[in-house]
Amino acid sequence: MEYSIQELSRLSGVTTRALRWYDKIGLLKPSRVAESGYRYYGGAEVNRLQDILYYRALGVGLAQIKACLDDPSFDRLAALQSHLAALEAEQARLEKLIQSVKDTIRCEERKESMRDEQKFEALKQQIVTRHEELYGREAREQYGDHMVDAAQQSVLKLTLERYQEWQELNRKIQRQLEAAVAAGISPEGEAGRDITALHRRWLTITGSAYAPDKHRGIVELYVTDPRFLAYYDKNVPGCARFLRDAVIHWAEG
């Protein structure tokens, strides 16, 4: 079956403007263009648009989608299976969050107090959800769905004691960063080495394997991404750069 651009727009929910843009960037070319200039799409293009929408739902950028779909080794079945696994993981995450909110509402309605364990589970879920909203797209593009999903699951599996330690490490890193920057200390000094060790512990407390190159890559984001920069420099400007420079100098296997 063949569709005009307006018909494909109605079928898929993708605007004609977006479809024209996809054509322009080579992401989704029509099967033919009539003498009148009208675009027409066949079955292969419908399948490709479906693949594009699946990737977009997972937060993948257009350039990366094009690279994947244009790769001669692209396996549509394998890609669909990967999409399904990612969506099922997201479904499970949302179901847990929904249940946590329901439990909280029920306790509020009944004027009951939530058990600390319930509050703890809700806190972990909020952290994961917030991180996904703020950084999920970039993290998935850089590290892949599997690594990001695994990292999120490791946070959700933290015990109360480990969670409290994780939070305290975060606060301690911030305090020491602000003190070092305020004092004008070099990141290559002892303070920088101590902060690097604390940050390494903070990264790996969830059970993640440590890799110096990955550590350096993460802190590089702290000075290039405005969101990380604003977080670390919220009280004392220069903290994100100090942390980046310290890790670059001191990180080792």
Side-chain angles (χ1 to χ4, degrees):
M1 186 171 181
E2 190 174 63
Y3 299 90
S4 69
I5 190 170
Q6 289 82 8
E7 290 170 336
L8 185 59
S9 175
R10 287 193 293 269
L11 176 70
S12 64
V14 179
T15 66
T16 56
R17 181 179 180 181
L19 290 172
R20 291 189 182 95
W21 176 247
Y22 291 173
D23 182 6
K24 184 177 181 179
I25 64 176
L27 179 60
L28 180 67
K29 290 287 187 181
S31 58
R32 70 182 181 90
V33 179
E35 291 183 4
S36 61
Y38 291 145
R39 296 169 173 85
Y40 291 91
Y41 300 82
E45 289 70 41
V46 172
N47 286 345
R48 185 174 172 100
L49 180 57
Q50 185 182 33
D51 291 334
I52 292 168
L53 294 178
Y54 284 144
Y55 275 118
R56 291 297 287 159
L58 296 172
V60 181
L62 295 181
Q64 188 175 356
I65 294 173
K66 184 177 185 303
C68 289
L69 298 182
D70 290 346
D71 189 330
S73 64
F74 175 72
D75 184 332
R76 189 166 192 251
L77 177 59
L80 289 170
Q81 291 171 335
S82 176
H83 294 329
L84 178 60
L87 290 170
E88 286 177 338
E90 177 67 5
Q91 181 184 42
R93 183 184 70 81
L94 288 174
E95 286 175 351
K96 289 181 181 179
L97 181 59
I98 289 170
Q99 188 58 53
S100 177
V101 173
K102 285 181 177 179
D103 291 343
T104 304
I105 291 173
R106 185 168 57 252
C107 287
E108 289 292 324
E109 289 176 340
R110 297 177 180 179
K111 306 300 181 182
E112 298 174 349
S113 296
M114 287 185 72
R115 292 181 294 107
D116 288 342
E117 291 80 2
Q118 288 177 295
K119 293 178 182 178
F120 173 52
E121 292 303 316
L123 281 173
K124 290 191 296 183
Q125 189 62 65
Q126 287 172 7
I127 289 173
V128 168
T129 301
R130 182 61 173 163
H131 186 275
E132 181 68 31
E133 291 172 350
L134 288 176
Y135 313 114
R137 179 176 175 179
E138 292 89 342
R140 292 180 185 281
E141 287 183 354
Q142 182 164 356
Y143 301 112
D145 291 332
H146 177 73
M147 186 173 290
V148 174
D149 291 339
Q152 291 179 351
Q153 285 302 310
S154 66
V155 172
L156 294 174
K157 291 177 182 178
L158 281 173
T159 63
L160 177 58
E161 293 73 17
R162 282 295 175 86
Y163 173 79
Q164 290 173 334
E165 181 185 354
W166 190 49
Q167 293 292 78
E168 178 53 35
L169 277 169
N170 188 52
R171 290 188 288 267
K172 189 173 183 179
I173 290 167
Q174 189 66 37
R175 289 196 302 267
Q176 293 195 14
L177 280 172
E178 292 175 1
V181 172
I185 296 173
S186 169
E188 296 181 8
E190 293 300 310
R193 184 179 66 177
D194 292 344
I195 290 172
T196 297
L198 286 172
H199 195 256
R200 171 175 174 166
R201 173 58 179 163
W202 181 81
L203 286 175
T204 58
I205 196 171
T206 58
S208 301
Y210 180 72
D213 289 343
K214 182 180 176 182
H215 194 179
R216 296 185 185 99
I218 289 171
V219 294
E220 194 66 45
L221 286 175
Y222 293 173
V223 297
T224 58
D225 189 312
R227 294 165 298 184
F228 286 113
L229 190 64
Y231 174 80
Y232 282 102
D233 288 8
K234 57 182 176 287
N235 297 319
V236 180
C239 288
R241 185 169 297 278
F242 185 100
L243 179 55
R244 189 278 306 272
D245 292 347
V247 171
I248 294 297
H249 182 77
W250 289 107
E252 56 185 9

